[in-house]
Amino acid sequence: MNCHKRTFVISGAASGLGYATAELLVQAGANVVILDIDPIKGIEAQKTLGEKSLFFQVDICSSDAVEDAISRALDTLGPISGIINCAGIGPAIRVVGKDGPHALADFQKVVEVNLVGTFNTLRLVANRMQMNEPNADGERGVVINTASVAAFDGQIGQAAYAASKGGITAMTLPIAREFARMGIRVNCIAPGIFETPLLKNLSPEVQKSLAEQIPFPKRLGRPAEFASLVKHIIENTQLNGEVVRLDGGIRMQ
């Protein structure tokens, strides 16, 4: 699928990996629909990206809010060709810590945002994409979700995060099989340690320590590299039902 003049919905697109993806797709001639819960960053992102972007302040766990944003985007930009899910949270909490057991509400919140929110957006966008006119390959749309290497190599304190990202990886193949009849591909990217707003809050010493764990290149991943893989997945029709690790070869101990 060629990105040019197509419209893609991107959750969490006001910053980090989502914003880098939106930026690259706009440069490739696409329109982007920014879904983000942060109104200040969302408005700023739309201003920067220009007329090829639309911003909607949305809680991705809300069916009504996401459906409303999709409907308004369709009215303004026309058919949607893809959904890229980048929104997520990742607090570090031990299952049993010095203050007692992991709060159940905190575990539920992470799974709700990361896993349920991803499922919510992809199901609603796919419902609209199935009505698109197919291209020469019979393709009507593409779904790209974001997991994490924590789905495979989760660390202490990442029980909730790893569970949510593991769920995203596990649902990739069954949804790809289901959507095949509609001409919609489903893939997943599992990033390693990337330069995101969360990691930038860490000290330079900690960032250097994390980078040293990566076999090659020995540096944090760049959001533009994530965006580049998203664009390739969109353009390469043979990629379907895959979970692609983008991590410099790291295997967390």
Side-chain angles (χ1 to χ4, degrees):
M1 178 188 295
N2 193 311
C3 297
H4 188 62
K5 291 186 178 180
R6 293 186 179 272
T7 298
F8 298 90
V9 177
I10 309 173
S11 72
S15 63
L17 302 180
Y19 179 78
T21 299
E23 186 176 42
L24 183 61
L25 292 183
V26 166
Q27 290 171 1
N31 301 312
V32 296
V33 180
I34 302 164
L35 303 184
D36 207 285
I37 202 165
D38 188 325
I40 296 175
K41 289 183 179 178
I43 292 170
E44 183 181 338
Q46 181 178 334
K47 286 181 179 178
T48 304
L49 294 172
E51 61 183 13
K52 289 184 174 292
S53 67
L54 282 178
F55 165 63
F56 297 103
Q57 184 183 2
V58 167
D59 177 353
I60 60 170
C61 299
S62 168
S63 294
D64 290 343
V66 173
E67 182 63 35
D68 179 64
I70 293 169
S71 295
R72 291 163 65 189
L74 282 166
D75 290 342
T76 304
L77 299 173
I80 295 169
S81 295
I83 167 73
I84 300 107
N85 279 303
C86 297
I89 58 176
I93 308 173
R94 288 175 179 261
V95 177
V96 179
K98 61 181 181 181
D99 297 323
H102 193 309
L104 187 58
D106 291 339
F107 185 93
Q108 291 171 326
K109 178 67 173 178
V110 174
V111 173
E112 178 78 5
V113 173
N114 294 355
L115 178 56
V116 179
T118 292
F119 180 78
N120 185 40
T121 57
L122 78 84
R123 73 186 178 93
L124 294 174
V125 173
N127 183 52
R128 302 302 187 100
M129 290 195 297
Q130 70 173 326
M131 294 178 278
N132 290 346
E133 284 295 320
N135 64 14
D137 280 330
E139 186 176 23
R140 289 184 169 89
V142 61
V143 175
I144 303 174
N145 296 325
T146 304
S148 166
V149 294
F152 314 101
D153 312 330
Q155 302 294 289
I156 291 173
Q158 287 189 316
Y161 185 71
S164 68
K165 295 301 187 178
I168 292 172
T169 64
M171 70 182 181
T172 301
L173 184 57
I175 298 177
R177 285 171 165 165
E178 178 184 340
F179 286 5
R181 64 179 178 82
M182 299 186 290
I184 298 173
R185 293 182 293 119
V186 182
N187 289 287
C188 177
I189 301 174
I193 307 173
F194 269 69
E195 294 173 349
T196 62
L198 180 64
L199 278 187
K200 285 183 178 179
N201 289 331
L202 301 177
S203 69
E205 292 77 18
V206 172
Q207 292 187 43
K208 182 179 178 181
S209 175
L210 290 170
E212 284 298 318
Q213 298 178 45
I214 302 171
F216 184 81
K218 284 194 173 297
R219 59 168 174 79
L220 303 184
R222 295 167 182 152
E225 292 169 324
F226 176 91
S228 177
L229 180 55
V230 169
K231 184 172 180 287
H232 179 76
I233 291 173
I234 291 170
E235 295 174 340
N236 191 333
T237 312
Q238 277 295 318
L239 276 170
N240 192 20
E242 293 295 333
V243 178
V244 183
R245 290 184 66 135
L246 185 66
D247 58 19
I250 195 171
R251 296 297 181 268
M252 304 292 287
Q253 298 195 9

